[in-house]
Every structure is written in C-alpha cells, then in structure tokens.
Amino acid sequence: MSATDPRLTQIAELIELKADGQYGLSDINQRQHALQAAWLAERAGCSEALIAAALLHDIGHMVHNLGENPAEDGVDDEHERLGHEFLAGMFGPAVTEPVRLHVAAKRYLCAVEPDYFAKLSRDSVLSLSLQGGPMSPEEVAAFEAVPEYADAVQLRRFDEQAKVKGLETPPAAHFLRYVERVIRPQ
C-alpha cells in the first residue's frame, strides 16, 4: 500500500482499528464481515472496484458514533449514506454506488425474490423494517434504472453470506491493494 496517500492510511486504520465492534447480531465483528464480503467478491471474479466496494460497504458503521447495533434501539444509522459520503471524494461510482445502494438492494431483493426474505439474518430483518421494508413496484422500476444496480445486488448477496464465525480469510492488506488500485489520484 502506498505510504504517501493519507486516504489509504485512513481506510486501513478504520478497518484495522475501528472494526472490532460486533457486526449486528452476528457472531463476527465488522472487520471479519468486511473481509468475508471482499473475499467472496474476489473468489467470484468480480472487478477490482466491486471487491473494494465489498470491503468498504459497511464503512459507514465505522464513521458514525451510534454504537454497535443502533437498529436494536430502533435507529436506522443510514450507514449506506454515511459510507457513500465518506467514500465519494476518493472513488468513482463503480465503488461508491454499490455502497450507497446495498441497503436498497436488500429492499429490492425482498420485493422481487419471494424466498429472499427468509434468507435474511435476524438483524437484517430488524434493520429492513427501519429501512422502508420491501420496495414497491415503482421503487423496483426506479432501482433497476440505476446503472450500478446489478453490482449493488451482487454486493448485497455477498453481504448476506459474509457472516460466518471462524471463517479464515486473507488479511485486510490483501484487499487494500484493490482499494489502492481504484482510488482516484490525489
């Protein structure tokens, strides 16, 4: 990783130092969830940008001060918006849009796939109710009109799968190389 880019250092520090908090109601922490999502994207042969987005999709949880599981308190932390805002100056839409849209993708999948809701973890069901529930037909059409919607849906699938206690993944440094390759020049 480039030692000269403070943005990369900041991202690495968030993942290494601020991601120890429990990931929702799962038996893993934020870092493990991020690494698992990125690993799934890498193993699926996704683009460097989508691998970076998978690693960073929940960075909004690491930049707010609402505690580990605000949904349990009935609060939508809007982590997808916060993450998008944090990343927008550093990356193009191939990274930022899947991050911004990964919650919308959950709502979308609940609307278009009859069995998707049953696959959600308990904390995803809880947060879904705070995030607006399944999309309406009009919302589905608007979501499908967004150029990055397919990547957001793919990221959402990785997000749901990336909750395995004890799963060994490569370390953060392995995935930060993708981040470095897709970050905008300073």
Side-chain angles (χ1 to χ4, degrees), residues 34 37-57 94-95 155 158 174-179 181-182:
W39 193 49
L40 288 164
E42 182 183 63
R43 289 176 54 205
C46 293
S47 69
E48 291 180 337
L50 191 53
I51 295 168
L55 180 69
L56 303 173
H57 76 279
V95 173
L155 174 56
F158 297 144
H174 174 82
F175 299 108
L176 287 168
R177 64 191 175 130
Y178 295 110
V179 173
R181 290 199 287 258
V182 297

Side-chain angles (χ1 to χ4, degrees), residues 12 25 39 59 81 85 93 95 106 114 126 130 137 144 149 161 166:
L25 303 175
W39 193 49
I59 204 155
R81 179 186 57 77
E85 288 172 2
V95 173
K106 174 173 62 172
L126 177 61
L130 298 170
E144 289 175 341
Y149 97 92
Q161 296 170 35

Side-chain angles (χ1 to χ4, degrees), residues 16-186:
E16 292 295 345
L17 304 175
K18 287 213 51 176
D20 288 331
Q22 183 178 354
Y23 177 71
L25 303 175
S26 300
D27 290 329
I28 62 172
N29 64 30
Q30 289 284 348
R31 182 182 316 100
Q32 291 164 324
H33 176 65
L35 295 176
Q36 288 181 23
W39 193 49
L40 288 164
E42 182 183 63
R43 289 176 54 205
C46 293
S47 69
E48 291 180 337
L50 191 53
I51 295 168
L55 180 69
L56 303 173
H57 76 279
D58 277 344
I59 204 155
H61 288 306
M62 296 170 221
V63 297
H64 72 55
N65 295 314
L66 298 174
E68 288 184 12
N69 193 6
E72 209 169 45
D73 298 324
V75 175
D76 179 4
D77 67 3
E78 299 182 13
H79 72 281
E80 71 281 11
R81 179 186 57 77
L82 294 172
H84 178 265
E85 288 172 2
F86 176 79
L87 298 170
M90 295 183 256
F91 300 95
V95 173
T96 61
E97 286 300 281
V99 170
R100 181 179 73 85
L101 296 169
H102 78 278
V103 167
K106 174 173 62 172
R107 296 182 60 228
Y108 170 80
L109 287 167
C110 285
V112 301
E113 292 183 5
D115 63 335
Y116 187 78
F117 183 83
K119 297 176 188 175
L120 293 178
S121 64
R122 192 169 58 127
D123 52 326
S124 285
V125 170
L126 177 61
S127 62
L128 177 66
S129 67
L130 298 170
Q131 296 159 340
M135 287 183 171
S136 68
E138 296 78 20
E139 289 173 313
V140 165
F143 183 73
E144 289 175 341
V146 176
E148 294 83 8
Y149 97 92
D151 282 346
V153 168
Q154 184 62 62
L155 174 56
R156 182 72 222 169
R157 294 187 192 285
F158 297 144
D159 187 1
E160 284 303 323
Q161 296 170 35
K163 300 175 183 180
V164 181
K165 183 178 180 178
L167 181 66
E168 293 290 326
T169 64
H174 174 82
F175 299 108
L176 287 168
R177 64 191 175 130
Y178 295 110
V179 173
E180 183 174 18
R181 290 199 287 258
V182 297
I183 200 166
R184 289 181 171 157
Q186 291 191 70

